[in-house]
Amino acid sequence: MKDLAHVGGKRTMAALGTGIALSMALTGCLGGGSKPAAEESAAGQQESTAPLQTRASSERGGEDVKSAPATKQAPKEAVPAGATKLTEPGTSLKFGEVAYTHSNTGKAGSEKYKEAGYETKVTKIVAGSEADLAALKDSAKFAGQTPYYVFSEVTLTSLSKPGAGLGDPRITGHLKDGTEAQKLIVFGTMADCKTGSFDTEGEDDTFSYVVGSSKDMCSVFLAPAGDAVTTASYDDSNFSYENYKDNKYRQNPVTWGK
């Protein structure tokens, strides 16, 4: 069975088109039951039975949320964010080494503002095959392209107040020359590339991620013939600064490699 999907946006190679429609049957499903309605828009992902879709992304990724317990309960006390010093911009790490990162949501100083801290690490980059793209509609456009799966692990270490809906630390794949590889945002799952979710607790107004819980993440990037995705980076793009220039990671990201 085929489902429609799209890919568009920034391209690093002329071989990529500006828009890609795809059709792929889901080969795996994420666990979990229904989500609280208040978190549906923050989740940013479809139910596990929804069609797989891809698109080049300039927007923040969403968070898949596990079902809350049936009985109402208060979440554990949040750990103040910012307690752990962030990894310095420009730091070079080996696969598996930890970077201390953060994200936020809401307007600073407002009641809804939340900030989270994370331990983030890229664990490996795995090459796929052209056959992985065969299910894409108009797959001929991908001739010579190879998908690469960038795997990472994130642990929530702090949360300024109980809640959910914060964007994950965003990881970017890079080609051999250091330029950004084309990313495919996947809504749903792929057989070789699945993303989990943080543990949750409470419901309604008390619904929150559990500090100390971890999740595995996977992102898909494309490399043209003769090239490869060899490194990955973090540029703090899911943290909103008062001034755009205050983000020192944009020009000096944290990087992972062999």
Side-chain angles (χ1 to χ4, degrees):
M1 179 171 62
K2 295 185 178 179
D3 300 296
L4 293 179
H6 303 282
V7 62
K10 180 179 177 182
R11 299 283 196 262
T12 56
M13 302 300 299
L16 291 175
T18 59
I20 306 169
L22 69 87
S23 168
M24 176 176 287
L26 291 180
T27 55
C29 296
L30 295 178
S34 60
K35 306 171 188 175
E39 293 305 321
E40 192 66 31
S41 59
Q45 294 188 0
Q46 300 178 0
E47 297 297 332
S48 60
T49 55
L52 171 69
Q53 296 182 326
T54 63
R55 64 179 179 180
S57 174
S58 61
E59 61 191 21
R60 296 185 178 186
E63 174 61 52
D64 185 70
V65 180
K66 291 182 178 179
S67 60
T71 57
K72 192 168 185 177
Q73 59 178 344
K76 298 175 183 177
E77 183 178 355
V79 178
T84 302
K85 184 178 179 181
L86 299 175
T87 297
E88 292 291 330
T91 300
S92 296
L93 301 171
K94 299 293 185 181
F95 292 140
E97 293 185 331
V98 171
Y100 297 96
T101 66
H102 61 171
S103 67
N104 61 1
T105 185
K107 185 178 181 181
S110 70
E111 183 180 351
K112 293 184 177 181
Y113 180 81
K114 291 189 291 288
E115 185 174 335
Y118 309 91
E119 290 182 353
T120 301
K121 57 185 177 182
V122 174
T123 56
K124 60 184 177 180
I125 298 177
V126 178
S129 66
E130 288 188 55
D132 297 345
L133 305 175
L136 299 175
K137 186 177 181 180
D138 299 328
S139 58
K141 292 180 180 180
F142 292 95
Q145 301 292 320
T146 301
Y148 280 79
Y149 305 109
V150 178
F151 293 89
S152 56
E153 181 182 318
V154 179
T155 299
L156 179 65
T157 57
S158 64
L159 193 59
S160 61
K161 64 174 64 174
L166 291 96
D168 298 322
R170 186 179 297 171
I171 303 298
T172 300
H174 294 264
L175 301 172
K176 292 178 181 178
D177 64 358
T179 58
E180 290 186 12
Q182 176 62 39
K183 182 178 183 179
L184 298 180
I185 295 296
V186 179
F187 295 92
T189 60
M190 292 181 69
D192 298 319
C193 191
K194 299 180 181 181
T195 292
S197 59
F198 292 123
D199 294 336
T200 60
E201 59 188 354
E203 60 181 12
D204 300 328
D205 293 340
T206 66
F207 184 75
S208 180
Y209 297 145
V210 175
V211 173
S213 64
S214 302
K215 70 174 182 178
D216 295 322
M217 302 197 307
C218 179
S219 299
V220 188
F221 296 87
L222 294 177
D227 210 335
V229 177
T230 56
T231 59
S233 70
Y234 163 84
D235 67 359
D236 208 21
S237 56
N238 266 345
F239 190 92
S240 297
Y241 288 87
E242 184 174 345
N243 189 317
Y244 179 86
K245 295 181 179 179
D246 291 339
N247 183 357
K248 306 302 181 184
Y249 294 88
R250 293 188 183 277
Q251 297 299 321
N252 248 334
V254 176
T255 59
W256 286 267
K258 293 184 178 179

